[in-house]
Amino acid sequence: MSTRKRWAIAGVCTIVLLCGAAAILGYFRPSLKTYADAEGMKMKFKTEGTSFLVYEEEEVWKEIFVKGVNLGATVPGHYPGELPATEADYLRWFKQIDEMGANVIRVYTVHNPVFYTSLVKYNRDKGQDPLYFMQGIWSPEEQLIERQDAYDEEIVQMFRAEISKAVAAVYGDVTVQPKHGQASGKYKTNAGKYLMAWHVGTEWDPMMVENTNKLHKDVPRYEGSHFSATEKASPFESWLASLMDLTAAEEIKYGWQHPMTFTNWVTTDVLEHPGEPLFEEDLVSVDARHIEPVDWNAGYFAAYHVYPYYPDFSVRIRPYRHCLTATGDITRIKPTFVN
């Protein structure tokens, strides 16, 4: 046998052995089925009407009931701005979240790289029914409250930079320098296939929203490639539309689309709360209906942070279940306060 043939046979045997080892070690897992359009843009989730849909292995879209858990990045004995969680911590938390029946994790901001590598590892080892996550993008909250103007140039630049960082972190494509109170490190793991949705921003100070609307009442409504403000949009809502449009544009670079929302809360919801004792808590609304997707097949939805202890009207007025009639219809009642 010639030397060339011996080398060829040895090479084939090596490949076979490596493939067998990889299979034994569990690297060849079933692929996560995703939808791809004619241009190759991928989606795993989308919104339709009032539902979230997931693309299943059978190559069909099915409704999914989203059951989530908020997850911070610190542990007992550390300050909230510290990020000491390890892979062991995350893997333990993921297992506990799974066991309680949840199917998605909500993170308010970018975590250290270990979160994304741990989630990919957990799902790879699990094989079926992975845990997904919703990625929050932190707004310059302190600066917004201090300056009372969302259109402040420095605030806009800070927010845009945070959006670019968050998208690149999810897709494992950025190195972030250390900064106190913020995640940092080399993001090399692509966790995009386990992403369920984007949450842009944090809760909005009503005084800041009101002041922004007054300062920029003549600003033209934002019209973007993927998200636009409607004719009814306030200047603040138009500002939000521009940032959601940027998030979409950043994600498209990686060949993906995911459902998108901005974070809101009861303090800036669209309802009137006559029982609220603090006027600023019912001062202004931020309306999700005033922003619309233009070219974003993954869809858009509204999201609210709701607390059982805040604002004050939620604990001073008797439970809203008393607003229902015997037939299940909603009826208007006079607020009844609890001393």
Side-chain angles (χ1 to χ4, degrees):
M1 182 182 295
S2 67
T3 302
R4 180 177 295 179
K5 286 184 177 180
R6 283 197 293 269
W7 277 110
I9 293 172
V12 171
C13 290
T14 301
I15 292 172
V16 171
L17 288 171
L18 288 174
C19 289
I24 292 172
L25 292 173
Y27 287 103
F28 290 159
R29 298 287 183 182
S31 62
L32 193 68
K33 183 66 68 175
T34 56
Y35 171 84
D37 64 17
E39 298 178 354
M41 191 65 62
K42 291 183 288 187
M43 293 193 302
K44 179 65 178 176
F45 295 94
K46 69 176 182 178
T47 63
E48 187 174 284
T50 58
S51 300
F52 251 88
L53 303 182
V54 59
Y55 196 67
E56 295 283 18
E57 296 296 322
E58 299 86 356
E59 300 187 359
V60 294
W61 290 99
K62 291 184 178 180
E63 186 172 343
I64 180 173
F65 182 66
V66 179
K67 299 165 289 183
V69 172
N70 289 326
L71 184 64
T74 193
V75 297
H78 292 264
Y79 290 105
E82 296 179 329
L83 309 173
T86 64
E87 180 180 282
D89 290 323
Y90 281 118
L91 293 178
R92 183 177 70 258
W93 294 337
F94 296 159
K95 186 174 185 296
Q96 292 170 337
I97 290 169
D98 236 344
E99 289 174 345
M100 70 180 291
N103 55 13
V104 64
I105 298 163
R106 161 76 189 283
V107 291
Y108 284 74
T109 186
V110 175
H111 283 222
N112 279 337
V114 64
F115 167 75
Y116 305 95
T117 57
S118 299
L119 185 62
V120 171
K121 177 180 179 180
Y122 179 83
N123 284 331
R124 184 197 67 205
D125 292 343
K126 185 182 179 185
Q128 301 294 327
D129 299 322
L131 271 179
Y132 296 100
F133 72 106
M134 291 188 179
Q135 179 64 58
I137 303 178
W138 198 262
S139 62
E141 189 176 38
E142 293 182 6
Q143 290 81 1
L144 284 167
I145 294 174
E146 176 186 342
R147 302 179 192 180
Q148 296 287 292
D149 181 7
Y151 283 87
D152 177 272
E153 185 175 348
E154 184 179 0
I155 287 176
V156 171
Q157 292 306 315
M158 290 174 66
F159 207 163
R160 290 176 66 89
E162 187 67 19
I163 287 170
S164 298
K165 181 187 80 175
V167 176
V170 166
Y171 288 98
D173 189 32
V174 67
T175 297
V176 180
Q177 298 303 316
K179 185 176 181 180
H180 180 70
Q182 296 186 15
S184 62
K186 294 183 178 180
Y187 293 80
K188 299 185 291 184
T189 300
N190 187 341
K193 64 182 178 180
Y194 299 119
L195 180 66
M196 181 178 283
W198 295 101
H199 263 259
V200 178
T202 46
E203 297 162 342
W204 312 114
D205 172 46
M207 302 294 285
M208 178 275 297
V209 174
E210 178 77 351
N211 195 57
T212 295
N213 289 337
K214 289 179 179 179
L215 290 175
H216 303 279
K217 60 183 178 181
D218 296 324
V219 69
R221 72 181 181 93
Y222 180 81
E223 297 183 72
S225 300
H226 307 291
F227 284 87
S228 290
T230 70
E231 293 289 348
K232 294 183 178 180
S234 68
F236 182 80
E237 291 161 350
S238 195
W239 176 81
L240 271 176
S242 72
L243 295 167
M244 295 180 67
D245 190 49
L246 174 64
T247 308
E250 289 294 303
E251 182 172 47
I252 277 183
K253 295 177 182 178
Y254 297 97
W256 277 88
Q257 287 190 17
H258 286 91
M260 197 172 303
T261 189
F262 66 85
T263 302
N264 208 348
W265 61 333
V266 178
T267 299
T268 49
D269 69 9
V270 298
L271 303 178
E272 293 183 4
H273 305 288
E276 173 55 53
L278 302 177
F279 82 95
E280 64 270 19
E281 296 294 355
D282 205 27
L283 175 66
V284 65
S285 293
V286 180
D287 196 331
R289 296 170 297 181
H290 295 168
I291 300 173
E292 60 185 5
V294 178
D295 180 20
W296 196 250
N297 295 327
Y300 168 63
F301 62 104
Y304 288 87
H305 290 176
V306 180
Y307 305 97
Y309 54 85
Y310 177 87
D312 285 349
F313 81 86
S314 64
V315 294
R316 297 181 72 239
I317 299 177
R318 295 194 186 280
Y320 287 144
R321 65 175 179 267
H322 296 304
C323 296
L324 296 179
T325 67
T327 59
D329 297 323
I330 297 177
T331 183
R332 186 182 297 274
I333 63 171
K334 182 179 179 181
T336 304
F337 296 100
V338 179
N339 295 322

